[in-house]
Every structure is written in C-alpha cells, then in structure tokens.
Amino acid sequence: MTVENNVVLKLAKVQDAHLKDKTVVARVDYNVPMKDGVVTDDTRIRATLKTLKLLLDAGCKVVLMAHLGRPKGKPDPKYSLAPIAPRLAKLAGVKVHFAADCVGPEADKVIAAAKNGEIVLLENLRYHPEEEKNDAAFAKQLAGHGEFFVQEAFGALHRAHASTAAIAKFLPGAIGFLVQKELEYLDKAMVNPVRPFLAIIGGAKVSDKINVLYSLLDKVDTLIIGGGMAYTFLAAQNTNIGKSLLEAEKVDEAKAIILKAFKNNVEMLLPADHRVAREIKPDAAVEITQAMAVPDGWIGVDIGPRTELLFTDKIKGAKTIFWNGPVGVFEIPAFASGSIAVAKVMAEATKNGAATILGGGDTLSVLKTAKVDASQMSHCSTGGGASLEFVEGKPLPGLVALSQK
Ligand code: AMP
C-alpha cells in the first residue's frame, strides 16, 4: 500500500485480521512529554485508541510495548511508563495492568492475571539494551507474550529495534489504524500531490534535514526555507548573516541544494528580511532588518514582516503543504511571530481545501504557541523523525519487517 524507494510494500491491516479472543502484542509510541510523573500531552496515547478499541471489542487481551526517552539500556525511574497506565485506563475505559518489566517472570505474571478485554502496559523496552540492538532473542521473548503483532508505533517505524523490526519474524502481524492514516497522508502528498505542492522547512540545523531537502526538490513546486537553517543558505549566496546560526561545513551542500532547485525548476524562497536580536534571550530587544542581510553583531531570530507576508501568501496559493520546523526561535514570545503566522495561514489553507501535513515534534509545539488546534490541519504526524525519513524515501524498518512475511 505504500511506496518506499519505489518498492510497494504489502502490509496487512489490523481490521482484516481474525483476532477474536486472541492475545495481541502491540507496539505503540507512548514517548509522551511528562512533568513530575504526570503526562502533559496525551496526543500520542489518544492516537492509538481506535486500534485499541477494535482489539478490545474483539475480546483480545492487549499487551502494549513502548519506550520513553533514552534510559541507555538500564532501569531508570525517570523513564518509567507507569504514569501512562492510569491515563490510558481513563481514555480507553478499561482496566490497564502495569508490568514493571517488559520480559521475564514479572511480565508473564501480569499478563497471565489480565483478562480478555483488558490491557497490559509493559515497562519501558529501552531498560534492556537488546531492544535498540534489534536482538532476535529479546524480540522472541516479546513475541512470546501473544499470538499476533500489531504495529501502531508510527513514531518508531524508522528504528530497527527488537520491538519494531525483529519481532515480526516470530509472529504474524498487521499495521494499526494510526500507522495506516499516517502512511495514507504522506503517501498521497509525496506520490500524487494536488498541485501546487509547497514544503516549508525550518528548524535549527541544515545537517538534520539535508536529505529531506534533496528529496523534496524532486516533488514540490515551491520550497520555503526558514529558521536557523536559512542562514547557511543565505551565507551560501554571500549574504551577510551577522552572528546568526551558521553551519560553515554545510555551505557547499546548501549551494548544491540551491542549484538543484534551479535545475528542477522549483521556486525556492529564503527570508527576505529578519527580526534580529543581540542575544537569544527572552528580554532581548528585537529589531527588523531592511533587507536580506543581517548586520554585524546581530542574530537572525525570526523571519521579518515582509517575509511573513511573502511566505503566507505563497502558502495560501498552495494545494498541498508539508511543514516541518519553526521559522524562528518560537519558544521566546518576541521571536515567535513568523512561526505563529505560518501556523495560522496553514489553518486557513486547510479550511480553503488544501491538504496540510505537519511533521511532529517542534512543529506541533508551534501550533500550541499559535493557539491553533491540531484538528485545523489535515494531518499532524505523531512522528517527526519517521515522517522525515519517509519523505526522504528511506525504507522504514518497522514496515519492511512486516511486509516481508
Ligand atoms: P528542529 O528540531 O530542527 O525542527 O529545530 C527546532 C529549533 O529550531 C527550535 O528550538 C527553534 O528555537 C530553533 N530555531 C528556529 N529558528 C532559529 C534561528 N533563527 N536561530 C536559532 N535557532 C532557531
């Protein structure tokens, strides 16, 4: 159903599997923000509810595997998934048992005690180093918890880990509703977009997004670059950038990207003016430049008002829009204007019929800052890294493993 590097993957869907009264092991992405042991944003948990409901209604016992943060292969209470269990119980409306280890006697005991129609949430997979090593013996232990595997962790599909890849060797499996929805939107945009197709890419570093930029240039009509990474592109055109973020070793790569845009007849837009400050600090005074250059001693912290108009106008005219990364240091209110304007115009474009797709992470935080609800976009991806790797055309190990069966 999905095209990756021109290979069509055959993926079974959870709604087509015969799962009545089975014990199902599902990989989910519950890598959610928490503060003092309380979940502060449960978007990723909610995103799995449709699949959970299907399984619970079919009388399944559902064993959930997930990770949180980077505990480096050993137990660390800071990264415990325990606080997620009560939130999930409330959202799913069923009993959620928590197992303090994802394998071994503790997991076996809790799973055995749970009834059909209930959920078991296993402790952080990454407490075991074997998880990130895609270890087959560890994957076999995880697979031993059930009779069927459901892949619902879109945000972890780009990782070849035991619970996302190796496990598929030991169980029949299918993708859940969330993974289906993510792939559907990304597929539609990348393979057969309604044009004009515009991508707006921001964020801090060019190096993180070089491959995505190259790949987008084969697909889009317009590419907008904003945020910290825009300054390396401006430097590549010999524009003065003052003390703005510069990746000097990426200037040649930026030149190559500009050349590719030219060759592919892609309209490429960079900031034409800037909001600048002497320091990246909440109380720093902000000035607006008159032109594309940033004066010596100043840092470009946001796009300027003329650029805001230029970018939002272009976005209004597009029919498919992919957005990843803020166009300024949006965490500081005085530097958030450009990113807020982009979020708002994306909502407007959606209302006017454009397909709008947002990469995860920081881009979703911008929506919050702009007080734009995620429902005002066609699709907000739950996985920043996975959606970028999909756009790059890289095979996602979590899908490839399932399609080989
Ligand atoms: P990323 O994770 O690559 O999407 O980058 C997001 C980060 O880029 C945010 O924390 C922003 O503060 C940062 N950012 C955006 N614009 C700039 C800029 N002009 N200078 C420095 N950092 C920026």
Side-chain angles (χ1 to χ4, degrees):
M1 73 175 270
T2 183
V3 179
E4 288 189 52
N5 286 355
N6 301 319
V7 177
V8 178
L9 299 178
K10 267 209 183 131
L11 299 165
K13 295 177 182 175
V14 67
Q15 63 271 35
D16 299 331
H18 300 288
L19 298 174
K20 192 154 177 30
D21 299 330
K22 289 204 168 143
T23 299
V24 171
V25 193
R27 176 62 156 102
V28 288
D29 178 11
Y30 287 170
N31 193 20
V32 295
M34 281 201 230
K35 201 167 180 226
D36 305 325
V38 177
V39 177
T40 54
D41 182 346
D42 59 12
T43 309
R44 283 180 164 169
I45 304 175
R46 287 174 189 273
T48 63
L49 290 176
K50 190 174 170 190
T51 292
L52 294 182
K53 184 171 182 331
L54 176 105
L55 297 173
L56 296 167
D57 286 352
C60 297
K61 186 190 288 191
V62 184
V63 180
L64 296 180
M65 308 179 289
H67 77 276
L68 182 73
R70 296 177 190 275
K72 305 210 171 95
K74 54 182 188 317
D76 180 341
K78 211 164 70 201
Y79 298 110
S80 174
L81 286 164
I84 291 178
R87 179 67 68 99
L88 176 61
K90 212 165 161 192
L91 290 170
V94 297
K95 187 161 184 185
V96 176
H97 306 253
F98 182 72
D101 197 355
C102 64
V103 288
E106 159 71 8
D108 294 343
K109 190 182 77 194
V110 177
I111 294 167
K115 298 193 188 78
N116 283 40
E118 294 181 347
I119 295 173
V120 175
L121 175 64
L122 301 175
E123 182 55 289
N124 198 337
L125 293 157
R126 291 191 185 172
Y127 280 5
H128 294 263
E130 296 90 342
E131 160 66 359
E132 290 178 78
K133 289 184 186 145
N134 200 12
D135 181 87
F138 182 67
K140 197 172 175 188
Q141 279 183 282
L142 294 170
H145 293 325
E147 302 150 85
F148 192 86
F149 170 60
V150 172
Q151 176 59 275
E152 189 63 325
F154 179 78
L157 286 184
H158 59 311
R159 310 274 185 219
H161 290 172
S163 67
T164 59
I167 191 169
K169 282 192 220 128
F170 303 103
L171 283 177
I175 53 173
F177 289 119
L178 170 65
V179 170
Q180 290 173 42
K181 181 172 173 242
E182 295 263 12
L183 294 178
E184 204 179 292
Y185 274 99
L186 289 169
D187 242 9
K188 210 160 51 189
M190 296 306 148
V191 181
N192 204 4
V194 181
R195 296 188 180 275
F197 179 13
L198 177 148
I200 171 158
I201 307 293
K205 286 188 174 170
V206 186
S207 42
D208 289 345
K209 294 179 187 169
I210 278 181
N211 294 333
V212 172
L213 293 173
Y214 271 119
S215 161
L216 283 169
L217 286 172
D218 290 324
K219 302 176 171 103
V220 299
D221 303 290
T222 303
L223 176 65
I224 294 181
I225 296 182
M229 58 191 274
Y231 296 98
T232 300
F233 283 87
L234 291 173
Q237 294 180 315
N238 296 322
T239 301
N240 196 18
I241 60 161
K243 282 200 303 176
S244 309
L245 202 63
L246 170 70
E247 282 174 274
E249 70 290 355
K250 295 294 168 198
V251 168
D252 284 343
E253 204 106 36
K255 282 183 186 163
I257 289 170
I258 294 168
L259 189 66
K260 180 166 178 183
F262 181 72
K263 280 189 184 151
N264 284 14
N265 213 7
V266 170
E267 178 184 36
M268 185 166 162
L269 302 180
L270 291 169
D273 64 344
H274 313 269
R275 291 186 168 88
V276 294
R278 291 271 185 196
E279 284 173 295
I280 298 192
K281 266 190 175 171
D283 54 355
V286 183
E287 302 240 336
I288 292 165
T289 65
Q290 291 309 305
M292 217 176 224
V294 175
D296 288 339
W298 293 83
I299 306 166
V301 290
D302 193 6
I303 55 174
R306 275 197 306 125
T307 307
E308 222 172 275
L309 280 179
L310 175 75
F311 286 5
T312 51
D313 246 25
K314 275 285 159 201
I315 291 169
K316 274 185 210 162
K319 286 275 171 268
T320 303
I321 307 156
F322 177 75
W323 179 24
N324 181 290
V327 295
V329 186
F330 75 101
E331 296 92 337
I332 296 178
F335 311 157
S337 172
S339 301
I340 291 174
V342 171
K344 290 196 164 145
V345 80
M346 289 282 287
E348 195 183 322
T350 319
K351 219 159 111 193
N352 293 332
T356 48
I357 299 153
L358 261 69
D362 270 328
T363 322
L364 298 182
S365 309
V366 176
L367 286 196
K368 284 222 165 89
T369 306
K371 299 197 170 56
V372 170
D373 196 77
S375 65
Q376 291 172 269
M377 304 292 146
S378 309
H379 181 63
C380 291
S381 178
T382 54
S387 63
L388 285 181
E389 292 204 11
F390 184 95
V391 172
E392 280 174 36
K394 276 194 190 162
L396 300 176
L399 292 182
V400 175
L402 268 181
S403 79
Q404 282 164 347
K405 306 191 77 116

